[in-house]
Amino acid sequence: MALIVQKYGGTSVASPERIKNVARRVASWQAKGHQVVVVVSAMSGETNRLISLAKEMQAVPDPRELDVIASTGEQVTIGLLSMALMNLGVKARSYTGGQVRILTDSAFNKARIVSIDDASIRRDLDGGSVVVVAGFQGVDENGNITTLGRGGSDTSAVAIATALQADECQIYTDVDGVYTTDPRIVPEARRLEKITFEEMMEMASLGSKVLQIRSVEFAGKYKVKLRVLSSLEDLGREGTGTLITTEDDIMMEQPTISGIAFNRDEAKLTVLGVPDRPGIAYQILGPVADANIDVDMIIQNVGHDGTTDFSFTVPRGEFARTTAILEQIRGHIGARQITGDNKIAKVSVVGVGMRSHVGIASKMFRTLAEEGINIQMISTSEIKISVVIDEKYLELAVRILHKAFDLDHAPA
Ligand code: ASP
Ligand code: MG
């Protein structure tokens, strides 16, 4: 017997029919002898609807009241799923975040979980019930309802799994696992049996948006095994999804590279001809950070004639704002010119195997060179190499890299 936490996202509970399917799936796990806690999202589109309603009342909604409103979507699905389970003869009980006592800080709309009281959940599980908990929400120490930020149900599920020391936290969604890259671009992309937390964080942050990044970080920190599964597969014919776990847990010889990630949501800015002196990076990036703009890659070139060029990337939606900031400080920092390009993309090869293998970067650069794809920027971490290229070559780059690193075939 295992203790399993399952999370079903908005598309999995989008209609009464789908909720009945979820109930059947949950019941089948319980029938196998497992204890099951289910965490659900609101029905798909519902949270957006609730937030727009709030915005009709106040252009900038009061944060506390917004959470009172936004949290109701999940309250509906826990009740409906509990009823669907009862209809199948399964004992079930629903809980809001506050009823469990998922204690959070008081940062409305983006609260962090502080602690979870597992007493009632355990009592119900031991009494043979399935426990259904509302995702995305908690309560602060003064009893105010809080929410955890968009996509927060993943984090709720991981936190509950941690508190209960569950054997596995299963995230049910509309894809059947994590892929080596986006199958819409590379039809040969394969589902990964296993991937490490670290790799998943890189894949998620780079655009494979299967899981909220925060939940992966959380799971890695507490070593909660996460499994991504499809809620759309027929009962009895389900796949095994993708297990996200620790490196030690991946016993087989790992391929060097696990996947190719990419992100189109990028723009590049270059400050040309700034004096090459201490403090210049700070003078350029300080005002950008003060404006709450996320800077990703940064390059400063070798100086010549006492001046240098400085480039960095930001999310594409911040391109105009960042350009305006740079134009404003241009005179003050003594830069010759500001240029920018918002038609760029980032491509990355990701894999923990990089730590023990050399030549990954050169293979990546050679592969791109052979197709005449120019690399504009490069950045690396222990398990990732990223390049910025012209957006029009993105799909080609992903395809040739997927092939070059032998991801088209299952490892022998
Ligand atoms: N319902 C919330 C949202 O749409 C939380 C979630 O689905 O994870 O963001
Ligand atoms: Mg989600």
Side-chain angles (χ1 to χ4, degrees):
M1 186 186 78
L3 200 170
I4 294 167
V5 174
Q6 300 189 328
K7 181 257 171 178
Y8 292 90
T11 46
S12 306
V13 294
S15 65
E17 235 13 82
R18 290 205 182 163
I19 293 176
K20 288 179 196 168
N21 283 334
V22 168
R24 280 191 280 271
R25 196 173 299 281
V26 172
S28 80
W29 281 88
Q30 201 203 32
K32 285 182 233 163
H34 303 305
Q35 292 189 319
V36 190
V37 176
V38 188
V39 176
V40 283
S41 293
M43 295 164 89
S44 106
E46 181 63 8
T47 307
N48 287 342
R49 189 186 73 87
L50 292 166
I51 292 172
S52 341
L53 265 178
K55 286 186 175 160
E56 272 181 46
M57 203 54 74
Q58 287 183 327
V60 181
D62 176 82
R64 179 183 182 278
E65 302 314 323
L66 181 60
D67 278 354
V68 168
I69 297 165
S71 62
T72 59
E74 274 73 10
Q75 190 167 335
V76 172
T77 40
I78 56 171
L80 289 173
L81 178 57
S82 298
M83 289 178 181
L85 284 162
M86 289 173 192
N87 287 345
L88 299 175
V90 174
K91 284 207 286 182
R93 242 167 101 87
S94 69
Y95 286 87
T96 63
Q99 286 175 319
V100 173
R101 207 141 198 275
I102 298 180
L103 186 69
T104 70
D105 60 20
S106 303
F108 296 113
N109 317 163
K110 50 173 189 300
R112 299 232 156 217
I113 296 174
V114 175
S115 66
I116 295 180
D117 181 352
D118 62 351
S120 339
I121 298 182
R122 281 200 195 276
R123 187 175 3 91
D124 286 345
L125 289 174
D126 291 340
S129 291
V130 166
V131 178
V132 183
V133 182
F136 179 54
Q137 55 177 263
V139 68
D140 75 2
E141 55 182 6
N142 299 314
N144 298 302
I145 295 173
T146 56
T147 67
L148 309 178
R150 298 309 304 272
S153 298
D154 291 344
T155 298
S156 304
V158 172
I160 290 169
T162 306
L164 293 169
Q165 295 178 293
D167 296 285
E168 202 167 282
C169 181
Q170 303 178 337
I171 308 285
Y172 280 89
T173 177
D174 47 8
V175 293
D176 67 351
V178 179
Y179 277 68
T180 48
T181 196
D182 187 341
R184 283 169 301 189
I185 293 184
V186 184
E188 292 81 13
R190 287 176 307 103
R191 178 177 57 82
L192 292 159
E193 283 297 327
K194 294 184 177 185
I195 184 172
T196 66
F197 292 114
E198 283 175 288
E199 288 169 321
M200 187 62 207
M201 298 240 298
E202 299 291 1
M203 298 290 276
S205 65
L206 294 164
S208 321
K209 298 195 179 63
V210 186
L211 279 170
Q212 198 203 29
I213 299 177
R214 200 171 133 200
S215 70
V216 182
E217 196 181 331
F218 201 117
K221 185 163 164 200
Y222 295 100
K223 302 199 180 352
V224 176
K225 288 182 188 172
L226 268 182
R227 192 182 290 277
V228 174
L229 291 155
S230 164
S231 66
L232 307 174
E233 290 174 334
D234 290 341
L235 267 187
R237 306 181 53 186
E238 309 98 323
T240 50
T242 299
L243 181 67
I244 307 164
T245 185
T246 58
E247 217 172 320
D248 303 339
D249 211 36
I250 300 184
M251 298 297 273
M252 59 186 180
E253 175 69 4
Q254 266 293 99
T256 326
I257 298 303
S258 296
I260 312 291
F262 57 87
N263 191 0
R264 294 176 205 270
D265 180 25
E266 301 263 341
K268 182 176 80 168
L269 290 117
T270 301
V271 184
L272 291 162
V274 275
D276 190 10
R277 58 157 197 257
I280 204 69
Y282 170 66
Q283 282 176 31
I284 295 171
L285 294 180
V288 177
D290 290 344
N292 239 323
I293 297 169
D294 248 334
V295 171
D296 182 16
M297 282 197 211
I298 303 169
I299 288 187
Q300 184 183 333
N301 287 328
V302 193
H304 43 86
D305 308 332
T307 70
T308 185
D309 302 336
F310 191 95
S311 298
F312 59 96
T313 61
V314 297
R316 201 172 281 180
E318 302 288 9
F319 181 62
R321 215 152 64 92
T322 313
T323 308
I325 291 171
L326 294 181
E327 284 299 349
Q328 240 173 43
I329 61 172
R330 189 174 69 85
H332 167 67
I333 60 176
R336 192 176 71 242
Q337 199 192 343
I338 311 292
T339 62
D341 184 354
N342 63 356
K343 298 259 177 334
I344 57 155
K346 181 164 81 172
V347 185
S348 311
V349 298
V350 177
V352 290
M354 244 180 243
R355 291 200 188 113
S356 48
H357 287 76
V358 295
I360 308 296
S362 66
K363 184 168 182 172
M364 180 182 194
F365 303 156
R366 186 181 67 229
T367 306
L368 296 170
E370 280 166 3
E371 291 292 335
I373 299 174
N374 187 37
I375 299 171
Q376 303 180 16
M377 296 171 97
I378 301 169
S379 80
T380 65
S381 79
E382 234 190 311
I383 66 161
K384 173 188 80 172
I385 303 165
S386 305
V387 298
V388 165
I389 58 173
D390 188 327
E391 187 188 10
K392 69 174 182 256
Y393 297 122
L394 176 63
E395 302 201 352
L396 173 63
V398 173
R399 275 198 299 272
I400 58 178
L401 290 170
H402 196 267
K403 200 180 178 84
F405 285 101
D406 238 2
L407 293 170
D408 291 2
H409 310 284

